[in-house]
Amino acid sequence: MAATKLRRNRGFTLLEILVAIAIFALIGVASTGVLNSVIESDQLSEERFAKLEELQRAMLTIERDIMQMTNRSVRVNGEANSVVVSGGEDVMSSDAGGLAFVRSGWHNPQMLLPRSTLQSVGYRLQEQELQRVYGNYVDNVIGYEPKVRVLLSDIEDFQVSFLTDEEKVEDAEDWEEIYSSEVLPLAISVTISSKTFGEIRREFLVGGANSDE
């Protein structure tokens, strides 16, 4: 009777304790792995969401500028120039396609600032960055360096094409890849190749509504 009671009160053996420790260790390792996976997934989701917001802001900026495009030329090196829109390879010293024009609607409340409501803007690709190039004045003095705002990073290619005949809007082959004219085009197509989102193409009616492809 006493021997039976002693066996019941002897507690755990060393082997049982080691087995229990091993089980708890495995559970801890598995839990840590799951937690790290959840944290990494959350970080990737936040980074992708931030890039998506950046892309949306860039598209809204491009849309606003193109829809406010106006029939105004810019002096080149202080000399008169009749071209109102330029686009294609090497425009704006771009590594790919480029675009340059003048837009209206630049907010200047009660004309308090020493500038007009017109602004010369351009888009280009340099060092895998989609950049918006702009100045405070439409006709800047010789030697003036324009301001540069990076819209998107990790961009592999940037191309612009132009539509001048509304009867050919359905045919992608009729979009012109090089454009330099005294007349505004009917529509402008922008194609961005992103490492994150792949190829993105948007078509904008100049001075009107826009549509996606």
Side-chain angles (χ1 to χ4, degrees), residues 140-151:
N140 291 300
V141 298
I142 299 175
Y144 172 83
E145 290 295 329
K147 299 178 181 180
V148 177
R149 173 189 169 194
V150 177
L151 297 180

Side-chain angles (χ1 to χ4, degrees), residues 5 9 16 30-31 41 49 64 66 68-69 82 87 90 101 103 139-140 147 151 162 166 207-208 210-211:
K5 185 176 181 180
N9 295 335
E16 291 172 333
S31 300
S41 177
F49 183 72
R64 178 202 62 197
I66 291 178
Q68 294 178 333
M69 185 180 295
S82 59
D90 303 323
F101 57 93
R103 77 173 183 98
D139 299 311
N140 291 300
K147 299 178 181 180
L151 297 180
F162 304 84
E166 61 184 354
N210 70 81
S211 61

Side-chain angles (χ1 to χ4, degrees), residues 63 67 169-170 175 187-190 201-206 208-213:
E63 176 184 352
M67 292 184 67
V169 67
E170 300 297 334
W175 288 75
I188 295 178
S189 166
V190 173
R201 178 185 169 93
R202 291 289 305 275
E203 296 173 3
F204 305 96
L205 292 178
V206 174
N210 70 81
S211 61
D212 297 333
E213 185 185 37

Side-chain angles (χ1 to χ4, degrees), residues 8-44:
R8 289 177 180 175
N9 295 335
R10 67 180 182 174
F12 297 104
T13 64
L14 178 60
L15 179 60
E16 291 172 333
I17 293 174
L18 291 176
V19 170
I21 291 174
I23 292 173
F24 281 116
L26 290 174
I27 293 174
V29 170
S31 300
T32 301
V34 172
L35 180 61
N36 288 337
S37 177
V38 170
I39 292 174
E40 290 176 0
S41 177
D42 184 60
Q43 290 176 341
L44 289 174

